[in-house]
Structure formats: C-alpha cells, structure tokens
Amino acid sequence: MQYLTASPTRTTLMQHPVSLSTSDAERTIEFEFVRATENAALNSLAWLGRGEKELADAAACDAIYGVFDLVDICGEVVIGEGIKDNAPGIFLGEHLGTWRPGSPSFDIALDPIDGTSNIANGLPNSISVMAASHTLEGNPRVMQNLPSFYSKKLAFGPEVVKAIRNGMAELSLEAPLEQTLALVASALGKRVPELVVMTMNRPRHAELISEVRRCGAALRLISDGDITAAVSPSMPDSGVDLYLGIGGSPEGILTAAALKAVGGEMLLQMWPRDEAERESVRAEVGAVDMERIYKVDDLIKGDSAIFCATGISDSPLLPGVKVTGKKATTTSILMRARSRTVRYIRAVHDLEHKTIHLRSARSDRKL
Ligand code: VTB
C-alpha cells in the first residue's frame, strides 16, 4: 500500500527557518504552570478541613517555588499575595524561575490558593491559580497595579460581549440591577428568572442580594473565592450567567487573564474601604484612575496572557482533587489568550511514586 505524505522536505524546511517568537515561549512554558498549580493543589490537600489556612497556603507556595526553581524563565511576580491575607505568601517583586541568561521573561500574577478559608473549613471552591504575560525587554508592565484591597466587579461571558458588539446597550456598574439583568437575559435568550447570579455572601452585599432576589433571578452565594465565580459566566457548562460583587483586587487581575483567553468581559472599579484607603489610593494612582472603570484589556494590556488553575476543592470552574486509594486525580484548566485554546488537563498521580520538588527541601519529596 502506498501512503500519501504531506511531510515537508528538507528543502521546504530550510525555506521556512524556525524563529523563536513570543508565542513559542508561551507555548513551551505554559505546561510548567500546570505542574506548578497541580503540585500546589496536591501539596496543600492535606490541610483541607484542618482549620489551618496559613499552613495550607505555605504548602502551596513551597510547591510553586519548587517547580519554578527548575524552570528556565525570568519570572517576576507583579501580583502576589500578602497584603490581603497576611499569608506566608509569594510576594510582589519576587523572582520565579532560574533567571538563566537568555530565558524568556514573564510577568506573573498568582494566588497559590484562592479560597484559603474554604480549605481551612473543608469547604468547596478553592483553586491554585496563576497567570502570566510574556514580556519583551524594555516593555512596560502589562498587568495593572490596583492598590485598593477590594474592587467592585461585574463579569459576564462571551455571548453578552457579542450582543453588545452587535448593538445591545453596554452593561454598567452604576446601572440599576434590573436593567443589567434584563440585558444579560436578552443576550442569553433567557428570561430574568432563569438567570443565575453569583456573589460572595458578605454583609457588604446585603443590598445587592436583596436586589437580585427582588428582580427574581436565582442567586448562588459563595463563601469565598471570587476568581472561579467571575470566570464561570464565560464557561459554557458552569450554570452561572453573571458575577457581581466586591472582592479582592489582585483576584481581579487573575480573572482578567482568564477572560482574555475566553472572550469574556469584566467591569472593575477600585473600592476603597474607608476614607484613609481612599486617600492612599488617590495618592498612588491619582483621582481619575481611582474612579476609573477598567475592562479586561486595561487590566492586562497586549495580547499575551496565560491562565492556569487546578481545583483543590470542587468549584463551578473545576473539580477538586480526588483521592482514590493510591491515586490522586487533579483537574486543571490552561488557557492562552493568543490562541484562545482552553485545555482541561486531568492528571492521575500515582501516590506510591509521585514526588514533587519543594523549595523548602531543595529536592524532590514524596507527597
Ligand atoms: C476576596 C475574594 C477572594 O477572599 O478577596 C475574599 O476576592 C476576601 O473577602 O477570592 P473578605 O475580606 O470579605 O473576607 C477570597 O474569597 C479568597 O481569597
């Protein structure tokens, strides 16, 4: 039998020499992010339900550092932990990767665990999450620095974005909720009572909660973890149509990386907690930016964005780690804005063989 082959010949290959572009660096490095969040999830799992959020976070950080200690990138943490959680943390300005000369540069945003309280209380909705943008020498920062502790966010999916592009009125953070829900419903071809809105259960959301109920939409209240919540409306099977609420500002940047990769959108405005914070935010960014309503492309400029998360406990975005006998199954999501590819990576880890590289041990350790 004769096979037809479309393989290039040496001559055609030489006519198209390989050039290492930005996108190649992203494509080769992105899978290391999966290893990092997988290992963070696996290493923190032992703390699920033990009331020790700091120890869970420390375990996740140790695993993330451990993976990047072996990866040739020049990674700089531009959105880290710390200020908010008083966590052991990977902080702003830290370096990840070997920083070997010639390695590609990435700005990195991360939350080793979004939902540490959930882990501590054995509750659903915790993930390990990172985002990165490939940066070229001399390029300004692409991830927006939001100095406020909280931001007000409204996140919606690609169908709503498309409807706006086709002439539907824009959504707005200031508009009455009734109007926003009516627009979202019409974009999704639903009635308002069929909509599912997600927000965090907090006293600061009391008015929002009663408004959603008054309008007749269904509300899903979560205890913590608003990255999964804000990405969910952009994921076809999440069952969530809209995310609304006041949550962490760094979480907003991580959310923006995911939305950039799936064509969703978010309106975000910094929400200083009191007059003192308002003053310090104004001093840092100026009065105009303090009031500014940011969209995804303002939060992460340019077209490079990788988003990677592994479920620790179940969330609308990802199942958590499942341990059956001597095997642990992790589910991760990996997205890249340039290609708009969304990969779900289900990995089965043989716990009798599995080792992970930890920074604290400077070597591989059995889980
Ligand atoms: C928010 C949310 C996070 O913590 O920052 C929240 O964005 C803290 O809110 O996803 P409170 O200060 O009201 O507790 C998370 O839920 C988890 O870090």
Side-chain angles (χ1 to χ4, degrees), residues 148-212:
S148 65
F149 188 93
Y150 292 124
S151 290
K152 193 172 180 185
K153 310 169 197 176
L154 185 147
F156 46 95
E159 291 294 311
V160 181
V161 173
K162 205 184 296 161
I164 294 171
R165 208 177 299 130
N166 292 338
M168 189 182 86
E170 295 270 353
L171 301 192
S172 140
L173 282 175
E174 278 99 39
L177 191 68
E178 205 162 357
Q179 186 182 317
T180 304
L181 295 184
L183 288 170
V184 172
S186 91
L188 299 179
K190 293 185 176 183
R191 295 175 310 119
V192 171
E194 291 165 345
L195 289 182
V196 175
V197 179
M198 192 169 251
T199 195
M200 287 193 293
N201 196 3
R202 292 291 188 280
R204 63 178 178 268
H205 292 154
E207 202 185 313
L208 167 67
I209 291 170
S210 60
E211 265 301 277
V212 175

Side-chain angles (χ1 to χ4, degrees), residues 49-67:
R50 318 251 172 210
E52 297 279 5
K53 62 186 221 164
E54 251 91 73
L55 291 175
D57 205 29
C61 292
D62 198 6
I64 289 175
Y65 280 130
V67 167

Side-chain angles (χ1 to χ4, degrees), residues 53 84-85 111 113-118 125 149-151 153 200-205 222-228 243 246-252 273:
K53 62 186 221 164
K84 185 171 71 61
D85 287 321
D111 201 348
I113 300 176
D114 185 35
T116 41
S117 305
N118 292 343
N125 209 22
F149 188 93
Y150 292 124
S151 290
K153 310 169 197 176
M200 287 193 293
N201 196 3
R202 292 291 188 280
R204 63 178 178 268
H205 292 154
I222 52 164
S223 55
D224 261 299
D226 82 340
I227 300 176
T228 60
Y243 169 76
I246 294 156
S249 295
E251 283 83 352
R273 287 165 290 180

Side-chain angles (χ1 to χ4, degrees), residues 79 144-154 173-174 245-250 252-253 266-274 277-295 298-299:
I79 313 282
Q144 181 67 35
N145 166 38
L146 299 169
S148 65
F149 188 93
Y150 292 124
S151 290
K152 193 172 180 185
K153 310 169 197 176
L154 185 147
L173 282 175
E174 278 99 39
I246 294 156
S249 295
I253 305 294
M266 175 172 57
L267 306 178
L268 177 148
Q269 187 179 35
M270 285 191 273
W271 194 84
R273 287 165 290 180
D274 50 30
E277 190 182 10
R278 176 166 288 277
E279 263 316 300
S280 80
V281 171
R282 191 185 291 121
E284 193 167 335
V285 301
V288 173
D289 277 359
M290 184 173 70
E291 302 298 341
R292 181 168 169 194
I293 293 169
Y294 292 90
K295 290 175 135 185
D298 307 315
L299 296 169

Side-chain angles (χ1 to χ4, degrees), residues 99-116:
W99 281 68
R100 217 162 270 177
S103 307
S105 298
F106 286 89
D107 278 358
I108 294 177
L110 85 184
D111 201 348
I113 300 176
D114 185 35
T116 41

